[in-house]
Amino acid sequence: FYMVDLLFLQSPDTITVLCTVGVLLVFYVLFSSFANRQIKEPLGPWPLPVIVGLTFYTFFFFFVMAFISAFKEVWTSIYIPLVVVFAGHKTIKQALVHHDAFSETEVPQIIQDLKLTHGKGFDPAQPVNNSVSNIICSIVYGNRFEYDDPIFTSMVERATQNSKPLGCPSMQLYNFFPRLFRLHMCLSILATDEVKTHASYKLTSHFKSDCFYDKHIIFIFIACKESGNMNSHYHDDNLLVTVSNLFSAGTDTTSSSIRYGLLLMAKNPTIQGKEHNNLDMNRVVGSRQVWVEDRKNLPYTDAVIHEIQRMSITIPMILHRTTRDVTFQDYFIKKDGHFKKRDAFIPFSAGARACAGESLARMELFLFFTSLLQHFSFTPPPGVKEDELNLTQNVGITLSPSPHKRCAISRV
Ligand code: HEM
């Protein structure tokens, strides 16, 4: 406490401060690093005992991660002592794995919406968000909304806006220091609550409506709930959280990837031209509606979508917490330790906590991307050159293209 007093309450000279910090560092290193030498923890520089601010967080943390990952596949982060980094595709797989009904409505709808722009500049965020979100509605509620339904518009807005506060630096810090950053979390919980309220409204109104049929999540969930076991996970709170999670996990991710793909097409007319030729030459598809099965006959399109996902890095950073002590590749990772996966390319992650909507998302990406390119050429708005199109993304829990206009010129 004397040292803390020296540092913060008095006006110490530089030598006193340096000595104090030096002594603290020695104590820290002695206690934290030598106490557990019997167990082999992942290699890495000694963590700093002081948090040095967000600039450090953003630049230095990522720079160091990139540098060390080039040499070591498993290591401990310098910045946050609990983070262990897994780098390399093989390592991540080893760590994680071993231990057309919608398209019939939403795809034609977005094509129609884009035709109404008559080739003029527009921001595709709204139409793409609507289509993708309505697919989640079909899965969850068993029916779709009209795009101008105020409940629907507000749910879509919330699902897309939540990404920003959930991915901001203070929220990332909250993951590590929950007690210190409770206030920020409260703000985000408020945002999620709005989605839950709507879900709950829809839930009750559904029971009164005629279009209640047995293929959607709410119905199945309630059927499981009523099947008897009072202690099961099938209770109302869980249902609302599941519904709101599906909205937030399934809207901004897929929509951002599709929009980034269209932006890349507008920026790279040569690739777009090849994709158009590929679709036009493909006798199987022709001018009819694209189906999921067409994917196996369109390897070039598949490759373009993979490249879009690789470039867009829709979910850049996922943190997990180990629920028990784990030994991985001879290294010991403590219970409650975090790890961050880095890899060449597994956009949906892998293992028990991999993306629950991967097959749906892959289907959506293929159907929307292919159908939109079948009907339109995407270009920058008048007066903007291709190389002036800005690829910078908005940072949140997802990365999404910054708002901007482009033109959809009809091809048919
Ligand atoms: C291009 C689109 C998408 C991408 C890139 C993506 C990516 C991811 C990633 C990286 C994770 C984290 C996995 C982990 O924690 O290791 C995740 C989790 C999840 N995703 Fe997706 N996702 C997409 C679309 C969707 C869709 C359409 C849905 C559902 C309707 C969905 C539902 C979920 C859910 C529920 C989780 C949480 C799984 C869990 O924690 O057990 N995602 N997604």
Side-chain angles (χ1 to χ4, degrees), residues 246 249 348-349 351-361:
L246 282 174
F348 298 98
S349 192
R353 297 297 302 274
C355 175
E358 175 173 352
S359 49
L360 172 67

Side-chain angles (χ1 to χ4, degrees), residues 96 132 136 139 245-247 249-251 253-255 257 309 314-315 318-320 341 346-350 352-358 360-362 364-365:
L96 298 175
V132 169
I136 307 285
I139 295 171
N245 278 353
L246 282 174
F247 269 95
T251 300
T253 45
T254 316
S255 167
S257 308
Q309 284 206 276
T314 309
I315 301 197
I318 298 292
L319 291 167
H320 286 186
K341 296 166 273 167
I346 41 171
F348 298 98
S349 192
R353 297 297 302 274
C355 175
E358 175 173 352
L360 172 67
R362 285 193 188 281
E364 289 180 286
L365 289 182

Side-chain angles (χ1 to χ4, degrees), residues 123-175:
D123 187 337
Q126 197 63 46
V128 178
N129 286 342
N130 285 346
S131 312
V132 169
S133 207
N134 232 348
I135 289 176
I136 307 285
C137 290
S138 309
I139 295 171
V140 171
Y141 305 127
N143 64 352
R144 65 187 296 276
F145 286 78
E146 289 306 319
Y147 288 171
D148 55 1
D149 184 321
I151 294 199
F152 177 71
T153 46
S154 129
M155 271 174 14
V156 175
E157 199 183 321
R158 201 41 90 186
T160 46
Q161 280 183 359
N162 261 359
S163 157
K164 220 172 186 177
L166 287 174
C168 66
S170 54
M171 189 58 78
Q172 299 289 340
L173 285 177
Y174 167 84
N175 282 330

